[in-house]
């Protein structure tokens, strides 16, 4: 089974539709208080509620998962919000993934991580380093700019 973080976001939303169309078994991990949960309901996407600050909660949600696709992340906000969303959440996910026996992590990072451009770039780089040091096989993508149908940032 595949677990997806960030399934209610722009990239994650497109990704879960591809998974659904492929027939591959998957589950989205979502915060119970997420204001975007209805997106998963509309897509009939299976989901498990998790507390991303609690390793045991995430480990339980990763039960039976072979591949973790980590798309969740913040692109803007205060330094503290970026660190919490991009670094601390990744720390918890990686620790829980190791304990749950996840066999591969696929991480959507950013080209900003290459030069550690601003807090955002630094947090994406730090998250990559956490994944690299995990001893879990992984694949890290560094897209430069993603846009398309449904993008709330483009008018």
């Amino acid at each position: 089974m595949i677990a997806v973080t960030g399934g209610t976001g722009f990239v994650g939303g497109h990704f879960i539709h591809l998974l659904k169309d492929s027939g591959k078994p998957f589950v989205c991990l979502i915060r119970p208080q997420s204001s975007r949960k209805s997106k998963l309901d509309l897509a009939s996407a299976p989901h498990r509620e998790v507390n991303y600050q609690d390793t045991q909660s995430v480990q339980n949600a990763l039960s039976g998962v072979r591949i973790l696709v980590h798309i969740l992340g913040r692109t803007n906000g205060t330094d503290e919000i970026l660190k919490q969303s991009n670094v601390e959440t990744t720390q918890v996910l990686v620790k829980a993934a190791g304990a749950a026996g996840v066999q591969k992590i696929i991480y959507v990072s950013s080209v900003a991580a290459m030069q550690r451009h601003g807090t955002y770039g630094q947090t994406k780089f730090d998250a990559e380093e956490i994944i690299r040091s995990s001893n879990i096989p992984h694949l890290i993508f560094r897209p430069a700019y993603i846009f398309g149908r449904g993008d709330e940032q483009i008018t």
Side-chain angles (χ1 to χ4, degrees):
M1 176 172 335
I2 300 168
V4 180
T5 69
T8 61
F10 175 63
V11 175
H14 284 280
F15 186 70
I16 65 168
H17 283 287
L18 288 172
L19 282 174
K20 191 171 177 188
D21 290 347
S22 76
K24 295 188 185 325
F26 74 96
V27 65
C28 296
L29 306 184
I30 186 169
R31 294 175 294 117
Q33 71 274 21
S34 175
S35 62
R36 295 178 163 189
K37 185 178 174 187
S38 63
K39 284 186 165 189
L40 297 180
D41 294 335
L42 287 171
S44 298
H47 55 277
R48 297 177 183 168
E49 293 183 354
V50 298
N51 175 351
Y52 283 115
Q53 297 173 326
D54 177 19
T55 304
Q56 189 62 53
S57 171
V58 178
Q59 182 180 336
N60 292 344
L62 291 175
S63 176
V65 169
R66 291 183 46 232
I67 300 171
L68 171 62
V69 181
H70 181 25
I71 302 171
L72 179 148
R74 297 282 301 246
T75 57
N76 52 39
T78 65
D79 290 357
E80 187 174 312
I81 287 172
L82 289 171
K83 287 176 187 172
Q84 181 182 13
S85 295
N86 298 340
V87 180
E88 293 170 18
T89 297
T90 301
Q91 285 174 323
V92 171
L93 280 164
V94 167
K95 185 175 180 182
V102 170
Q103 297 172 5
K104 186 168 196 162
I105 297 173
I106 300 172
Y107 178 55
V108 179
S109 183
S110 169
V111 71
M114 284 182 4
Q115 297 179 333
R116 295 165 201 78
H117 192 54
T119 302
Y120 170 69
Q122 184 64 53
T123 61
K124 294 303 264 187
F125 179 81
D126 292 346
E128 289 180 6
E129 288 295 295
I130 291 165
I131 292 166
R132 281 188 198 97
S133 66
S134 72
N135 295 321
I136 299 172
H138 57 272
L139 176 65
I140 297 172
F141 288 100
R142 285 183 170 171
Y145 190 72
I146 302 172
F147 62 94
R149 185 174 41 92
D151 188 348
E152 297 169 1
Q153 304 288 325
I154 305 262
T155 55

